[in-house]
Amino acid sequence: MRLNTAISRPEADILSTNKVLRNTYLLLSMTLIFSAMTAGAAMLFNLPHFSPIITLVGYFGLLFLTTKFSNSGLGLVFVFALTGFMGLTLGPVLTMYVKAFSNGHELIMTALGGTGVIFLGLSGYALTTRKDFSFMGGFLMVGVLVAFLAGLASIFFTMPALSLAVSAMFILLMSGMILFQTSEIIHGGETNYILATISLYVSIYNLFLSLLQLLGVFSGED
């Protein structure tokens, strides 16, 4: 009697999803560590703030290249180039908080801890409940676009109140994005772990910066 050892389609889908999840979280961990290293280097060498134009051109240029080569080995190179660049842009911001506030280090660690708790909590919820959050996609895309444009306006027109509102919006939007992106991986909407890593990294990056800004305003000590 011959046993049928073929893997059924549902089982194959589960194995594929688990592989994408495993590779995504492994690569995400590595990029976060690398980004922290480049941020630390920027602080060590006291690099100046990057202009908004350089930051945007560098980010979108490297994002384009990462997306274009996401199905090849070059995609991994550009993932680290992008996250390393974002770490460099983050370093001067952290230096500013350390110098501007007597409790600057505490603010940074609190924002880092809050980011970790939110990410792990939301990812854990999506993974354990396996709910489909794909319905949030359209709303989140529009929300991020509106918040991004409002953020640019607050920078170029120097509007502190609008900047705070944008930070609060980004905390909510990035939390929603983490749920949405994790759900996409679980339900097969995202099968490329490089693209999944970048999506989650950007959400974590913006979440951390937004938390840090709000903490600086409400808890910063001169």
Side-chain angles (χ1 to χ4, degrees):
M1 182 175 175
R2 212 170 150 189
L3 295 176
N4 184 7
T5 58
I7 299 177
S8 66
R9 182 61 180 272
E11 291 174 330
D13 290 341
I14 291 173
L15 289 174
S16 177
T17 297
N18 289 340
K19 182 179 179 181
V20 174
L21 274 172
R22 183 174 62 252
N23 289 341
T24 297
Y25 284 118
L26 176 60
L27 182 58
L28 180 62
S29 300
M30 294 171 65
T31 54
L32 288 172
I33 292 172
F34 183 64
S35 188
M37 290 171 62
T38 58
M43 295 178 71
L44 179 64
F45 293 104
N46 199 27
L47 294 184
H49 282 274
F50 288 63
S51 72
I53 294 177
I54 291 177
T55 300
L56 290 175
V57 170
Y59 168 71
F60 283 110
L62 289 170
L63 180 63
F64 170 78
L65 291 172
T66 302
T67 303
K68 181 177 177 63
F69 295 102
S70 60
N71 291 310
S72 69
L74 274 177
L76 289 172
V77 175
F78 287 119
V79 163
F80 282 98
L82 174 57
T83 55
F85 173 75
M86 296 309 291
L88 287 176
T89 65
L90 181 61
V93 176
L94 300 181
T95 299
M96 179 193 70
Y97 274 85
V98 170
K99 292 181 177 179
F101 302 105
S102 60
N103 62 336
H105 288 95
E106 180 183 336
L107 294 176
I108 293 171
M109 295 309 297
T110 301
L112 184 62
T115 301
V117 169
I118 292 173
F119 173 72
L120 292 175
L122 293 174
S123 296
Y125 178 76
L127 288 168
T128 54
T129 64
R130 304 190 75 83
K131 288 185 177 180
D132 187 355
F133 292 98
S134 59
F135 66 91
M136 298 172 63
F139 167 78
L140 290 170
M141 291 302 107
V142 172
V144 168
L145 178 60
V146 171
F148 176 73
L149 293 176
L152 289 180
S154 70
I155 293 173
F156 289 108
F157 297 104
T158 316
M159 303 169 66
L162 179 58
S163 180
L164 287 179
V166 169
S167 293
M169 288 175 61
F170 262 107
I171 289 173
L172 295 175
L173 288 168
M174 293 304 104
S175 296
M177 287 297 291
I178 290 170
L179 280 175
F180 170 76
Q181 291 155 352
T182 306
S183 173
E184 285 290 280
I185 300 172
I186 294 172
H187 297 284
E190 180 57 81
T191 58
N192 187 300
Y193 72 94
I194 290 178
L195 297 180
T197 296
I198 286 299
S199 297
L200 288 172
Y201 174 89
V202 171
S203 294
I204 293 171
Y205 182 93
N206 286 317
L207 180 59
F208 171 74
L209 274 182
S210 299
L211 281 172
L212 184 59
Q213 182 172 9
L214 290 182
L215 285 170
V217 172
F218 296 109
S219 302
E221 297 175 1
D222 295 331

